Amino acid sequence: MSISPLKLQTILPPVYKGFISSKIMSLDVTETKATCDNCLRARDRRFSFTYKKELKCCTFHPYLTNYAIGALLEQDEIQQQSTGAHQGISKNQGIQKIRNKIAEREFAFPIGMMAPFDYQYAFLTKSDDQFGNDENLLCPYYNRGQNRCDIWMFRGVVCTSFYCRSDYGQDGQKFWAVFSDYLSYVEMALAEECLVQMGFSPRDISDQLEFLNKREFEAEETEQKQISPAIDKSLWIGYDDKISFYKKCFAIVKNLDRNQFKEILGPQGLSLEKEVVEYANRRKN
Ligand code: SF4
Ligand code: SF4
């Protein structure tokens, strides 16, 4: 029996459907070798080391954009309303973690949510074989009971574009790397656009970016899980209701059309968009 092709749009957050080029959205991204439900890397001994099947490649704490957080919170509220559940407490453990991180100033910024410094330090200094094996590195949004991602629909670029093996070999891996560059660019451009529309200055934005992908840590930062109330207050420039802020970011992105998106991406982003299609076509040769 032949397998029907998997279009790229089915693995992307639905919010992008309104404005990412249809040439990209309709690309065939069928990958049959990276069998995530029965993780290939937990059983294929041709890799230099295997992963634990209950951790897979989710020993990673992704950055989530402000609009993805807004989408998850909005979706969760709709779900709560439809079931008559208690407002503000999520049945989805991953989304509840997001709520807790917001409440506890755990690196929840206007630009999005990122790994706290203690995690960033542990991840940066890990040995290769800790990836896939060290449960201290497990993603906060991973559902251990069900062995799957709790926020799959709005997971970020790294999670969307990582395939431990491709049906197209090196060409396939190159395609995913180019796609990852493009989607990272899109995520950052849109998250920043939300901030501009919400009144943040370029300086306010760069102050937040300093917390993402830090490379050097002071001793106390290697254990830091939260942002101090004073720094948090200055980074949020007066926004008190963070949940409603994130939902507004989602509304901004949801309402973009293709022309507005192209303007936000600019020439560099549009050239990355072309490269994605180009590398997808090379993959077929
Ligand atoms: S991509 Fe990740 S979950 Fe999927 S098979 Fe590979 S290691 Fe396992
Ligand atoms: S967000 Fe989901 S896919 Fe990504 S690392 Fe976490 S659990 Fe895995």
Side-chain angles (χ1 to χ4, degrees):
M1 195 174 66
S2 67
I3 304 168
S4 41
L6 187 72
K7 288 189 178 173
L8 184 60
Q9 69 177 29
T10 58
I11 65 161
L12 274 188
V15 70
Y16 296 130
K17 278 185 195 152
F19 47 80
I20 284 189
S21 132
S22 56
K23 279 189 187 158
I24 290 192
M25 288 305 216
S26 58
L27 289 173
D28 178 0
V29 290
T30 311
E31 294 284 5
T32 60
K33 291 185 177 167
T35 48
C36 303
D37 287 339
N38 177 16
C39 178
L40 174 73
R41 280 224 51 166
R43 55 195 166 77
D44 189 336
R45 302 204 173 267
R46 285 174 295 175
F47 289 101
S48 53
F49 61 93
T50 50
Y51 296 165
K52 285 186 181 157
K53 65 178 187 318
E54 68 277 19
L55 304 179
K56 309 195 260 192
C57 54
C58 290
T59 46
F60 172 70
H61 189 312
Y63 156 68
L64 295 180
T65 58
N66 43 22
Y67 59 91
I69 299 166
L72 286 160
L73 291 167
E74 189 170 292
Q75 199 181 52
D76 188 51
E77 278 173 22
I78 293 168
Q79 172 81 11
Q80 287 186 16
Q81 277 157 11
S82 72
T83 58
H86 179 58
Q87 296 281 307
I89 299 187
S90 176
K91 280 190 173 169
N92 177 310
Q93 294 169 20
I95 298 177
Q96 188 55 42
K97 293 242 178 79
I98 288 174
R99 289 185 185 281
N100 295 345
K101 279 171 174 279
I102 295 169
E104 289 159 22
R105 301 184 313 278
E106 196 184 308
F107 286 65
F109 299 119
I111 200 159
M113 207 170 267
M114 51 194 86
F117 279 166
D118 67 335
Y119 185 99
Q120 290 192 36
Y121 178 73
F123 193 82
L124 195 69
T125 55
K126 71 182 182 332
S127 59
D128 285 351
D129 61 0
Q130 271 179 281
F131 191 83
N133 286 295
D134 183 348
E135 57 186 77
N136 292 321
L137 294 176
L138 188 62
C139 174
Y141 316 120
Y142 190 80
N143 186 321
R144 292 202 76 161
Q146 299 179 7
N147 223 22
R148 62 163 176 77
C149 177
D150 257 347
I151 58 158
W152 196 87
M153 194 58 90
F154 285 94
R155 71 207 184 292
V157 52
V158 177
C159 308
T160 308
S161 59
F162 181 78
Y163 285 83
C164 61
R165 185 163 285 159
S166 169
D167 290 16
Y168 302 91
Q170 296 282 319
D171 287 348
Q173 295 293 5
K174 182 67 194 166
F175 162 73
W176 285 116
V178 170
F179 177 67
S180 174
D181 287 347
Y182 166 68
L183 196 56
S184 299
Y185 193 94
V186 168
E187 282 193 346
M188 205 40 77
L190 294 178
E192 288 187 12
E193 173 66 18
C194 293
L195 295 190
V196 170
Q197 292 199 28
M198 301 289 270
F200 288 75
S201 71
R203 177 64 193 268
D204 295 330
I205 298 174
S206 79
D207 284 350
Q208 296 172 52
L209 291 175
E210 282 178 20
F211 290 84
L212 189 62
N213 300 327
K214 194 170 155 73
R215 287 285 170 267
E216 288 176 10
F217 294 82
E218 302 294 333
E220 67 275 13
E221 289 175 338
T222 64
E223 295 180 2
Q224 186 180 345
K225 292 183 189 307
Q226 289 166 299
I227 296 297
S228 73
I231 293 180
D232 189 71
K233 194 166 183 221
S234 83
L235 292 173
W236 277 91
I237 64 162
Y239 282 100
D240 288 331
D241 184 347
K242 296 174 182 173
I243 290 186
S244 127
F245 177 91
Y246 287 131
K247 287 197 290 184
K248 279 185 191 147
C249 292
F250 176 49
I252 289 171
V253 172
K254 195 167 56 172
N255 291 323
L256 291 175
D257 62 27
R258 173 77 184 153
N259 285 336
Q260 291 165 319
F261 176 67
K262 280 166 79 174
E263 206 168 304
I264 293 166
L265 276 199
Q268 196 182 341
L270 291 172
S271 135
L272 286 170
E273 198 167 78
K274 278 192 191 139
E275 264 187 49
V276 172
V277 179
E278 213 176 286
Y279 276 86
N281 292 338
R282 279 191 208 179
R283 198 183 45 155
K284 286 176 187 149
N285 294 328

